[in-house]
mmCIF file of all heavy atoms in Angstrom:
data_model
loop_
_atom_site.group_PDB
_atom_site.id
_atom_site.type_symbol
_atom_site.label_atom_id
_atom_site.label_comp_id
_atom_site.label_asym_id
_atom_site.label_seq_id
_atom_site.Cartn_x
_atom_site.Cartn_y
_atom_site.Cartn_z
ATOM 1 N N VAL A 2 -3.268 -5.843 -1.451
ATOM 2 C CA VAL A 2 -2.999 -4.536 -2.051
ATOM 3 C C VAL A 2 -1.492 -4.305 -2.015
ATOM 4 O O VAL A 2 -0.829 -4.640 -1.033
ATOM 5 C CB VAL A 2 -3.723 -3.399 -1.298
ATOM 6 C CG1 VAL A 2 -3.359 -2.036 -1.890
ATOM 7 C CG2 VAL A 2 -5.234 -3.616 -1.326
ATOM 8 N N LEU A 3 -0.952 -3.747 -3.097
ATOM 9 C CA LEU A 3 0.456 -3.385 -3.192
ATOM 10 C C LEU A 3 0.538 -1.862 -3.276
ATOM 11 O O LEU A 3 -0.107 -1.252 -4.143
ATOM 12 C CB LEU A 3 1.080 -4.012 -4.439
ATOM 13 C CG LEU A 3 2.557 -3.712 -4.694
ATOM 14 C CD1 LEU A 3 3.431 -4.528 -3.752
ATOM 15 C CD2 LEU A 3 2.920 -4.027 -6.144
ATOM 16 N N VAL A 4 1.309 -1.241 -2.396
ATOM 17 C CA VAL A 4 1.315 0.219 -2.337
ATOM 18 C C VAL A 4 2.705 0.711 -1.950
ATOM 19 O O VAL A 4 3.461 0.009 -1.264
ATOM 20 C CB VAL A 4 0.248 0.722 -1.328
ATOM 21 C CG1 VAL A 4 0.611 0.330 0.100
ATOM 22 C CG2 VAL A 4 0.049 2.217 -1.438
ATOM 23 N N GLN A 5 3.041 1.895 -2.415
ATOM 24 C CA GLN A 5 4.251 2.560 -1.957
ATOM 25 C C GLN A 5 3.918 3.417 -0.737
ATOM 26 O O GLN A 5 2.787 3.878 -0.574
ATOM 27 C CB GLN A 5 4.832 3.410 -3.087
ATOM 28 C CG GLN A 5 5.286 2.571 -4.285
ATOM 29 C CD GLN A 5 5.635 3.410 -5.499
ATOM 30 O OE1 GLN A 5 6.264 4.453 -5.364
ATOM 31 N NE2 GLN A 5 5.231 2.956 -6.676
ATOM 32 N N GLN A 6 4.899 3.629 0.102
ATOM 33 C CA GLN A 6 4.676 4.269 1.390
ATOM 34 C C GLN A 6 3.953 5.613 1.257
ATOM 35 O O GLN A 6 3.037 5.920 2.025
ATOM 36 C CB GLN A 6 6.006 4.470 2.108
ATOM 37 C CG GLN A 6 5.893 5.089 3.491
ATOM 38 C CD GLN A 6 5.192 4.164 4.486
ATOM 39 O OE1 GLN A 6 5.561 3.003 4.591
ATOM 40 N NE2 GLN A 6 4.201 4.677 5.199
ATOM 41 N N LYS A 7 4.338 6.419 0.285
ATOM 42 C CA LYS A 7 3.767 7.764 0.188
ATOM 43 C C LYS A 7 2.296 7.771 -0.180
ATOM 44 O O LYS A 7 1.626 8.800 -0.046
ATOM 45 C CB LYS A 7 4.560 8.615 -0.793
ATOM 46 C CG LYS A 7 4.553 8.137 -2.238
ATOM 47 C CD LYS A 7 5.398 9.074 -3.102
ATOM 48 C CE LYS A 7 5.486 8.595 -4.537
ATOM 49 N NZ LYS A 7 6.298 9.541 -5.360
ATOM 50 N N TRP A 8 1.778 6.612 -0.676
ATOM 51 C CA TRP A 8 0.362 6.537 -1.019
ATOM 52 C C TRP A 8 -0.424 5.643 -0.058
ATOM 53 O O TRP A 8 -1.596 5.361 -0.297
ATOM 54 C CB TRP A 8 0.186 6.031 -2.444
ATOM 55 C CG TRP A 8 0.511 7.067 -3.478
ATOM 56 C CD1 TRP A 8 -0.109 8.270 -3.664
ATOM 57 C CD2 TRP A 8 1.525 6.985 -4.478
ATOM 58 N NE1 TRP A 8 0.456 8.946 -4.708
ATOM 59 C CE2 TRP A 8 1.471 8.184 -5.236
ATOM 60 C CE3 TRP A 8 2.481 6.029 -4.812
ATOM 61 C CZ2 TRP A 8 2.320 8.443 -6.298
ATOM 62 C CZ3 TRP A 8 3.338 6.288 -5.862
ATOM 63 C CH2 TRP A 8 3.258 7.482 -6.602
ATOM 64 N N LEU A 9 0.201 5.228 1.008
ATOM 65 C CA LEU A 9 -0.478 4.339 1.949
ATOM 66 C C LEU A 9 -1.738 4.984 2.524
ATOM 67 O O LEU A 9 -2.756 4.316 2.704
ATOM 68 C CB LEU A 9 0.477 3.942 3.072
ATOM 69 C CG LEU A 9 -0.076 3.008 4.155
ATOM 70 C CD1 LEU A 9 -0.553 1.690 3.536
ATOM 71 C CD2 LEU A 9 0.992 2.733 5.223
ATOM 72 N N ALA A 10 -1.688 6.274 2.793
ATOM 73 C CA ALA A 10 -2.844 6.963 3.371
ATOM 74 C C ALA A 10 -4.060 6.917 2.450
ATOM 75 O O ALA A 10 -5.210 6.934 2.921
ATOM 76 C CB ALA A 10 -2.478 8.412 3.684
ATOM 77 N N ASP A 11 -3.835 6.840 1.114
ATOM 78 C CA ASP A 11 -4.956 6.776 0.170
ATOM 79 C C ASP A 11 -5.703 5.452 0.268
ATOM 80 O O ASP A 11 -6.877 5.361 -0.107
ATOM 81 C CB ASP A 11 -4.453 6.959 -1.270
ATOM 82 C CG ASP A 11 -3.899 8.347 -1.515
ATOM 83 O OD1 ASP A 11 -4.221 9.267 -0.732
ATOM 84 O OD2 ASP A 11 -3.142 8.518 -2.489
ATOM 85 N N ILE A 12 -5.005 4.414 0.756
ATOM 86 C CA ILE A 12 -5.600 3.083 0.845
ATOM 87 C C ILE A 12 -6.269 2.865 2.195
ATOM 88 O O ILE A 12 -7.257 2.133 2.306
ATOM 89 C CB ILE A 12 -4.521 2.006 0.593
ATOM 90 C CG1 ILE A 12 -4.013 2.121 -0.848
ATOM 91 C CG2 ILE A 12 -5.041 0.596 0.862
ATOM 92 C CD1 ILE A 12 -5.096 1.934 -1.893
ATOM 93 N N GLU A 13 -5.749 3.486 3.214
ATOM 94 C CA GLU A 13 -6.326 3.335 4.549
ATOM 95 C C GLU A 13 -7.783 3.773 4.531
ATOM 96 O O GLU A 13 -8.130 4.826 4.029
ATOM 97 C CB GLU A 13 -5.529 4.161 5.562
ATOM 98 C CG GLU A 13 -4.140 3.623 5.814
ATOM 99 C CD GLU A 13 -3.315 4.504 6.745
ATOM 100 O OE1 GLU A 13 -3.639 5.696 6.863
ATOM 101 O OE2 GLU A 13 -2.347 3.991 7.328
ATOM 102 N N GLY A 14 -8.620 2.949 5.067
ATOM 103 C CA GLY A 14 -10.049 3.235 5.068
ATOM 104 C C GLY A 14 -10.795 2.619 3.906
ATOM 105 O O GLY A 14 -12.019 2.539 3.923
ATOM 106 N N LEU A 15 -10.052 2.178 2.867
ATOM 107 C CA LEU A 15 -10.716 1.537 1.731
ATOM 108 C C LEU A 15 -10.925 0.050 1.950
ATOM 109 O O LEU A 15 -12.013 -0.481 1.729
ATOM 110 C CB LEU A 15 -9.890 1.744 0.448
ATOM 111 C CG LEU A 15 -9.920 3.113 -0.224
ATOM 112 C CD1 LEU A 15 -9.099 3.073 -1.502
ATOM 113 C CD2 LEU A 15 -11.349 3.538 -0.525
ATOM 114 N N VAL A 16 -9.861 -0.636 2.367
ATOM 115 C CA VAL A 16 -9.929 -2.092 2.463
ATOM 116 C C VAL A 16 -10.293 -2.519 3.877
ATOM 117 O O VAL A 16 -10.186 -1.747 4.829
ATOM 118 C CB VAL A 16 -8.597 -2.744 2.027
ATOM 119 C CG1 VAL A 16 -8.314 -2.437 0.569
ATOM 120 C CG2 VAL A 16 -7.453 -2.270 2.888
ATOM 121 N N ASP A 17 -10.710 -3.766 4.001
ATOM 122 C CA ASP A 17 -11.185 -4.254 5.286
ATOM 123 C C ASP A 17 -10.018 -4.603 6.216
ATOM 124 O O ASP A 17 -8.846 -4.446 5.867
ATOM 125 C CB ASP A 17 -12.103 -5.466 5.094
ATOM 126 C CG ASP A 17 -11.423 -6.601 4.335
ATOM 127 O OD1 ASP A 17 -10.192 -6.768 4.482
ATOM 128 O OD2 ASP A 17 -12.116 -7.319 3.592
ATOM 129 N N ALA A 18 -10.354 -5.089 7.376
ATOM 130 C CA ALA A 18 -9.350 -5.310 8.421
ATOM 131 C C ALA A 18 -8.496 -6.546 8.196
ATOM 132 O O ALA A 18 -7.520 -6.749 8.921
ATOM 133 C CB ALA A 18 -10.044 -5.416 9.784
ATOM 134 N N VAL A 19 -8.853 -7.387 7.223
ATOM 135 C CA VAL A 19 -8.106 -8.636 7.039
ATOM 136 C C VAL A 19 -7.302 -8.664 5.744
ATOM 137 O O VAL A 19 -6.468 -9.557 5.560
ATOM 138 C CB VAL A 19 -9.057 -9.854 7.085
ATOM 139 C CG1 VAL A 19 -9.721 -9.956 8.443
ATOM 140 C CG2 VAL A 19 -10.094 -9.783 5.979
ATOM 141 N N THR A 20 -7.535 -7.738 4.834
ATOM 142 C CA THR A 20 -6.804 -7.735 3.564
ATOM 143 C C THR A 20 -5.379 -7.251 3.781
ATOM 144 O O THR A 20 -5.169 -6.132 4.266
ATOM 145 C CB THR A 20 -7.496 -6.823 2.538
ATOM 146 O OG1 THR A 20 -8.825 -7.284 2.309
ATOM 147 C CG2 THR A 20 -6.730 -6.814 1.225
ATOM 148 N N PRO A 21 -4.368 -8.052 3.431
ATOM 149 C CA PRO A 21 -2.981 -7.602 3.620
ATOM 150 C C PRO A 21 -2.624 -6.483 2.648
ATOM 151 O O PRO A 21 -2.992 -6.522 1.471
ATOM 152 C CB PRO A 21 -2.158 -8.859 3.351
ATOM 153 C CG PRO A 21 -3.024 -9.715 2.498
ATOM 154 C CD PRO A 21 -4.436 -9.429 2.898
ATOM 155 N N VAL A 22 -1.921 -5.481 3.156
ATOM 156 C CA VAL A 22 -1.429 -4.371 2.349
ATOM 157 C C VAL A 22 0.093 -4.446 2.354
ATOM 158 O O VAL A 22 0.729 -4.311 3.402
ATOM 159 C CB VAL A 22 -1.904 -3.017 2.905
ATOM 160 C CG1 VAL A 22 -1.298 -1.872 2.093
ATOM 161 C CG2 VAL A 22 -3.425 -2.935 2.894
ATOM 162 N N TYR A 23 0.680 -4.696 1.186
ATOM 163 C CA TYR A 23 2.122 -4.842 1.072
ATOM 164 C C TYR A 23 2.727 -3.499 0.675
ATOM 165 O O TYR A 23 2.392 -2.936 -0.382
ATOM 166 C CB TYR A 23 2.468 -5.902 0.028
ATOM 167 C CG TYR A 23 1.852 -7.260 0.308
ATOM 168 C CD1 TYR A 23 1.231 -7.992 -0.711
ATOM 169 C CD2 TYR A 23 1.877 -7.805 1.591
ATOM 170 C CE1 TYR A 23 0.673 -9.236 -0.455
ATOM 171 C CE2 TYR A 23 1.321 -9.042 1.851
ATOM 172 C CZ TYR A 23 0.705 -9.753 0.831
ATOM 173 O OH TYR A 23 0.145 -10.976 1.088
ATOM 174 N N VAL A 24 3.607 -2.984 1.505
ATOM 175 C CA VAL A 24 4.269 -1.710 1.245
ATOM 176 C C VAL A 24 5.657 -1.997 0.677
ATOM 177 O O VAL A 24 6.450 -2.728 1.276
ATOM 178 C CB VAL A 24 4.378 -0.877 2.538
ATOM 179 C CG1 VAL A 24 5.080 0.455 2.255
ATOM 180 C CG2 VAL A 24 2.990 -0.631 3.124
ATOM 181 N N VAL A 25 5.936 -1.398 -0.506
ATOM 182 C CA VAL A 25 7.217 -1.642 -1.169
ATOM 183 C C VAL A 25 7.819 -0.319 -1.637
ATOM 184 O O VAL A 25 7.129 0.701 -1.695
ATOM 185 C CB VAL A 25 7.048 -2.583 -2.395
ATOM 186 C CG1 VAL A 25 6.530 -3.943 -1.965
ATOM 187 C CG2 VAL A 25 6.137 -1.953 -3.436
ATOM 188 N N THR A 26 9.081 -0.344 -1.975
ATOM 189 C CA THR A 26 9.741 0.830 -2.526
ATOM 190 C C THR A 26 9.341 0.998 -3.991
ATOM 191 O O THR A 26 8.891 0.041 -4.636
ATOM 192 C CB THR A 26 11.261 0.690 -2.448
ATOM 193 O OG1 THR A 26 11.660 -0.418 -3.278
ATOM 194 C CG2 THR A 26 11.715 0.457 -1.010
ATOM 195 N N PRO A 27 9.513 2.201 -4.567
ATOM 196 C CA PRO A 27 9.231 2.381 -5.997
ATOM 197 C C PRO A 27 10.047 1.439 -6.873
ATOM 198 O O PRO A 27 9.553 0.969 -7.906
ATOM 199 C CB PRO A 27 9.612 3.851 -6.251
ATOM 200 C CG PRO A 27 9.455 4.516 -4.924
ATOM 201 C CD PRO A 27 9.859 3.474 -3.911
ATOM 202 N N GLU A 28 11.276 1.150 -6.464
ATOM 203 C CA GLU A 28 12.134 0.258 -7.251
ATOM 204 C C GLU A 28 11.578 -1.156 -7.288
ATOM 205 O O GLU A 28 11.575 -1.821 -8.335
ATOM 206 C CB GLU A 28 13.560 0.251 -6.674
ATOM 207 C CG GLU A 28 14.309 1.563 -6.804
ATOM 208 C CD GLU A 28 13.830 2.635 -5.822
ATOM 209 O OE1 GLU A 28 13.198 2.283 -4.794
ATOM 210 O OE2 GLU A 28 14.083 3.822 -6.097
ATOM 211 N N ILE A 29 11.095 -1.642 -6.159
ATOM 212 C CA ILE A 29 10.514 -2.987 -6.128
ATOM 213 C C ILE A 29 9.221 -3.019 -6.938
ATOM 214 O O ILE A 29 8.970 -3.966 -7.693
ATOM 215 C CB ILE A 29 10.263 -3.440 -4.674
ATOM 216 C CG1 ILE A 29 11.595 -3.747 -3.982
ATOM 217 C CG2 ILE A 29 9.360 -4.668 -4.636
ATOM 218 C CD1 ILE A 29 11.459 -4.189 -2.547
ATOM 219 N N ALA A 30 8.391 -1.981 -6.814
ATOM 220 C CA ALA A 30 7.144 -1.934 -7.578
ATOM 221 C C ALA A 30 7.427 -2.002 -9.069
ATOM 222 O O ALA A 30 6.771 -2.740 -9.816
ATOM 223 C CB ALA A 30 6.364 -0.665 -7.241
#
């Protein structure tokens, strides 16, 4: 999963414990 920091909370609880979540800046996205 690719996510920006301000939306990280929306992803927490959705994906399982092994799926990597990559946090990036809006510019990188």
Side-chain angles (χ1 to χ4, degrees):
V2 177
L3 179 76
V4 67
Q5 296 170 41
Q6 182 67 50
K7 63 181 177 179
W8 285 298
L9 180 59
D11 294 341
I12 295 300
E13 291 176 338
L15 284 183
V16 297
D17 57 33
V19 297
T20 300
V22 176
Y23 303 135
V24 180
V25 298
T26 64
E28 293 75 20
I29 288 179

